Amino acid sequence: HSIVERYTQPTILKILNEGINPLTVKPIPVKRVILFADIISYTEISEKMSLDGTLLILNTYFEICSRIILKNGGEVNKFMGDGLMAYFDIGQADNAIYACLEILEELRSLRQNSIENSPLKLVYSVFGLAQGKVIESNMGSHYKTDYTIIGDAVNVAARLEKLTREVKRPLVLSESLKNSTKESWPFISMGKYNLKGKENMSEVYSLDL
């Protein structure tokens, strides 16, 4: 059980513990807060890094992100190369922002406290946050199946994460997520952008940190 727990996500374990075969779970439409995270310039870093250095960067990064996201009520859905996708229940926009800021702070501390020439001094992260309707379902084939989410909110979060490089901010979020927060965050508008797949221009936001 402990081995399976390391290789899968909490939702699947919960389904299994309820005595349900996850493969029989029907697709459900839900609303989620979606988080995409990525390491800045990872491709360039990895090209110059040893195997041990590459694994140290990735494992340390995923350990920090996973622990903080879980602590704030989220769930890591999948690792994707040097990035990850996670989600929170709708209504947890503030939790998602806190998670991003805590990860940024821990990475800052990691860089400062790592020994000279450590690969960990190169670890910087960016985040995209969005929210909306998604479909939660089994997806894949008879050979490999993921229990994951798809939908417009997922696509928007991924595109906002990519937009961080253009606006030079570590966190970019959608207007709908901004409007659903309860905390008094120092939001600043980054302007309107034509996000791929959207008919109209979308105003996006960051935090004045």
Side-chain angles (χ1 to χ4, degrees):
H1 187 278
S2 63
I3 294 174
V4 172
E5 188 174 19
R6 292 283 296 275
Y7 277 92
T8 190
Q9 62 200 85
T11 295
I12 294 298
L13 286 177
K14 181 180 178 182
I15 293 171
L16 287 170
N17 288 333
E18 291 173 353
I20 300 171
N21 180 349
L23 295 175
T24 66
V25 174
K26 302 294 184 184
I28 54 173
V30 291
K31 289 184 178 181
R32 295 278 189 240
V33 171
I34 314 297
L35 180 156
F36 267 72
D38 198 28
I39 298 176
I40 298 176
S41 301
Y42 173 77
T43 300
E44 292 84 350
I45 293 171
S46 62
E47 287 175 351
K48 304 173 184 177
M49 195 67 58
S50 67
L51 175 60
D52 288 343
T54 299
L55 291 176
L56 176 63
I57 287 174
L58 289 177
N59 288 332
T60 303
Y61 178 70
F62 288 143
E63 175 70 27
I64 290 172
C65 289
S66 299
R67 170 169 45 80
I68 291 176
I69 288 169
L70 181 63
K71 186 191 80 170
N72 282 279
E75 180 171 318
V76 175
N77 183 255
K78 63 178 68 174
F79 298 131
M80 303 170 294
D82 61 307
L84 64 84
M85 179 177 77
Y87 60 78
F88 297 74
D89 288 340
I90 201 71
Q92 290 189 307
D94 296 288
N95 300 56
I97 293 175
Y98 275 122
C100 295
L101 296 182
E102 288 178 30
I103 292 169
L104 289 170
E105 180 56 37
E106 186 152 337
L107 291 178
R108 187 179 299 113
S109 177
L110 178 72
R111 293 191 300 271
Q112 291 174 348
N113 296 320
S114 295
I115 62 173
E116 193 68 27
N117 297 322
S118 169
L120 299 179
K121 286 190 172 293
L122 304 174
V123 185
Y124 292 79
S125 185
V126 288
F127 303 89
L129 291 177
Q131 70 173 27
K133 294 179 181 178
V134 296
I135 297 173
E136 188 173 310
S137 176
N138 286 305
M139 294 175 200
S141 68
H142 288 293
Y143 303 99
K144 175 70 171 72
T145 299
D146 280 334
Y147 189 81
T148 188
I149 53 176
I150 60 170
D152 183 62
V154 175
N155 299 332
V156 170
R159 285 156 192 157
L160 293 177
E161 182 262 302
K162 300 299 181 188
L163 189 60
T164 57
R165 280 78 165 177
E166 184 175 341
V167 300
K168 302 189 185 318
R169 293 276 176 171
L171 170 62
V172 175
L173 48 98
S174 68
E175 185 172 21
S176 63
L177 187 134
K178 165 191 168 289
N179 292 339
S180 70
T181 58
K182 301 178 180 66
E183 303 282 345
S184 297
W185 299 102
F187 291 117
I188 52 173
S189 173
M190 294 288 97
K192 292 187 176 182
Y193 288 83
N194 186 14
L195 301 179
K196 186 178 178 181
K198 306 292 285 184
E199 292 185 4
N200 300 318
M201 300 284 281
S202 302
E203 188 162 10
V204 302
Y205 295 83
S206 186
L207 296 179
D208 187 15
L209 300 175

